[in-house]
Amino acid sequence: MDALRVAIVGGNRIPFARSGGAYATASNQDMLTAALDGLVSRLGLAGERLGEVVAGAVLKHSRDYNLTRECVLGSRLDPHTPAYDVQQACGTGLEAAILVANKIALGQIEAGIAGGVDTTSDAPLGANEDLRRALMELNRARSLGGRLRALSKLRPTQVKPDIPRNAEPRTGLSMGESAAITAKEWGVTREEQDALALASHQRLAAAYERGFFDDLLMPYLGLQRDQNLRADTSLERLASLKPVYGPTMTAGNSSPLTDGAAVTLLASEEWARARRLPILAYFVTAETAAVDFVHGGEGLLTAPVYAVPRMLARVGLTLQDFDFYEIHEAFASQVLATLKAWEDPGFCKERLGLDAPLGAIDRAKLNVNGSSLAAGHPFAATGGRIVATLAKLLAEKGSGRGLISICAAGGQGVTAILAR
């Protein structure tokens, strides 16, 4: 059976909020349900039974068990719509879209919603391991004596929460520390990073002003726009910030801790047209990759460097065959190092096994409506934001191709191609 074309019909997200800001008391379920119901309302899906809803979160409480299914049950979708969670760090939202797209392409479902949510304001806190064991023993105890013995093991020093860390378990390095190493290896300058950050803010602000997000974003808890956006920032202001990772990476050229949710509707052409819904673009293909950042001398966030050439070779395209490039801005240095790697003859030959470098891209086509440096980066929500944004860009143009590249923790990368 030939694969069916997968249409991207629309998207919805809530504005992304700074950690500890407008969504400080909102849970993953609150935010994902809001984004999901906003999409249902916008596209007239109330009471509709979809093939499935796939989403996830990187930071989850135990109460977030079956998170996506609970959000479906709290929405106006038909409760007979199945749902499940997926998690691939920062690539979660895009990986969810890939899973839904593949089922549509195989004819297993006709339509599905993909997305993600994350909150660092309401991050789960683990118990001190000694405290956890004592409490588990207390829970297992069936007699008064057993409970007293368990309670006798409790100590004031055990009341110390295990706060989630932005660090790789196998290296102990945070994403920022790892990115700083890669920035140094590729000679990425502070000036380059600040310029990319400035462009992200300026382009996101311009997109808001021209109403680009009017049918992609809904107000939530008092926010109308992404809280991290600084439309009035300048190179001078960015240059005044002190480095936080290595000598060149600052809070201004690194994505901030953020809360938010984003979802996207994908469907077969027939399903969309039967309901008179728009087809913004088509989901063409995808590729994931992983690098050995522990022993292999690879940068933690460099996996997309490997995923993209494999994907291009499979579909017979070059890196220059795109009208838009959506490269997730975890850090400005990471985006710039990725571009430098694709331009480097030695790296492309020795590491990627290519006869020639992939080459440079037209920077005017890169993140044309801004990206994570300006909007923020609620880990699992970023993929949904990018897929919907790129699909609408292609719909506005009326034709063309777009490339998505998202780096992720664990030395992974998720990439995709959309077309119109």
Side-chain angles (χ1 to χ4, degrees), residues 64-87:
D64 288 330
Y65 165 75
N66 225 2
L67 171 65
T68 308
R69 173 62 176 158
E70 288 298 322
C71 292
V72 168
L73 291 174
S75 76
R76 285 173 292 167
L77 285 173
D78 186 323
H80 294 91
T81 299
Y84 64 93
D85 291 9
V86 64
Q87 199 266 79

Side-chain angles (χ1 to χ4, degrees), residues 34-332:
L36 182 60
D37 239 4
L39 184 68
V40 168
S41 177
R42 177 170 290 132
L43 298 179
L45 301 177
E48 189 83 45
R49 179 178 65 82
L50 300 182
E52 65 183 19
V53 177
V54 184
V58 176
L59 300 175
K60 298 175 72 173
H61 289 269
S62 58
R63 67 170 181 257
D64 288 330
Y65 165 75
N66 225 2
L67 171 65
T68 308
R69 173 62 176 158
E70 288 298 322
C71 292
V72 168
L73 291 174
S75 76
R76 285 173 292 167
L77 285 173
D78 186 323
H80 294 91
T81 299
Y84 64 93
D85 291 9
V86 64
Q87 199 266 79
Q88 195 172 18
C90 305
T92 298
L94 181 54
E95 184 61 37
I98 294 169
L99 294 169
V100 173
N102 285 346
K103 283 195 176 182
I104 294 170
L106 290 173
Q108 295 175 352
I109 63 175
E110 290 188 289
I113 293 174
V117 60
D118 257 301
T119 170
T120 51
S121 298
D122 186 33
L125 298 181
N128 173 283
E129 185 61 18
D130 290 339
L131 175 62
R132 187 189 70 83
R133 289 177 179 174
L135 292 175
M136 292 298 291
E137 183 178 337
L138 177 63
N139 186 61
R140 290 192 298 268
R142 292 294 177 265
S143 67
L144 177 60
R147 287 192 286 271
L148 290 174
R149 282 193 296 274
L151 286 170
S152 71
K153 297 178 182 180
L154 297 177
R155 301 288 185 274
T157 55
Q158 295 170 347
V159 186
K160 179 181 179 182
D162 181 14
I163 298 172
R165 296 183 305 128
N166 178 18
E168 289 294 326
R170 295 184 179 275
T171 64
L173 298 177
S174 69
M175 278 192 184
E177 291 166 336
S178 299
I181 295 171
T182 302
K184 182 178 179 181
E185 289 175 348
W186 284 102
V188 179
T189 68
R190 168 72 180 270
E191 291 74 21
E192 288 178 291
Q193 295 175 61
D194 287 349
L196 185 71
L198 177 63
S200 188
H201 284 276
Q202 290 177 334
R203 291 174 175 182
L204 182 64
Y208 270 112
E209 290 306 314
R210 71 183 181 88
F212 179 85
F213 295 111
D214 287 355
D215 57 356
L216 295 179
L217 182 143
M218 58 178 277
Y220 185 64
L221 296 184
L223 280 189
Q224 305 285 330
R225 295 186 175 189
D226 300 304
Q227 196 175 21
N228 188 61
L229 174 60
R230 300 290 182 267
D232 61 348
T233 194
S234 64
L235 284 177
E236 292 72 26
R237 290 184 182 180
L238 291 168
S240 70
L241 299 175
K242 295 181 179 179
V244 291
Y245 303 116
T248 64
M249 294 173 58
T250 72
N253 56 42
S254 305
S255 61
L257 294 176
T258 329
D259 309 332
V263 291
T264 307
L265 176 66
L266 301 96
S268 68
E269 291 180 286
E270 294 76 10
W271 188 93
R273 286 173 176 154
R275 289 157 180 78
R276 297 183 179 179
L277 292 172
I279 294 177
L280 302 179
Y282 294 94
F283 199 104
V284 178
T285 191
E287 181 84 19
T288 59
V291 294
D292 184 356
F293 66 97
V294 181
H295 306 107
E298 303 285 0
L300 175 68
L301 304 179
T302 61
V305 174
Y306 292 81
V308 166
R310 295 206 302 249
M311 181 169 61
L312 294 177
R314 192 172 66 247
V315 295
L317 294 173
T318 72
L319 187 59
Q320 291 70 40
D321 290 336
F322 294 89
D323 301 275
F324 303 104
Y325 302 86
E326 287 288 333
I327 301 181
H328 159 50
E329 297 168 345
F331 305 93

Side-chain angles (χ1 to χ4, degrees), residues 360-404:
I361 68 168
D362 182 351
R363 296 288 184 90
K365 300 177 180 178
L366 173 64
N367 297 341
V368 299
N369 282 339
S371 191
S372 305
L373 289 172
H377 173 39
F379 310 119
T382 288
R385 174 187 67 78
I386 289 177
V387 169
T389 295
L390 179 55
K392 184 173 178 181
L393 283 169
L394 290 166
E396 283 187 338
K397 186 176 184 297
S399 64
R401 300 187 190 94
L403 174 71
I404 300 174

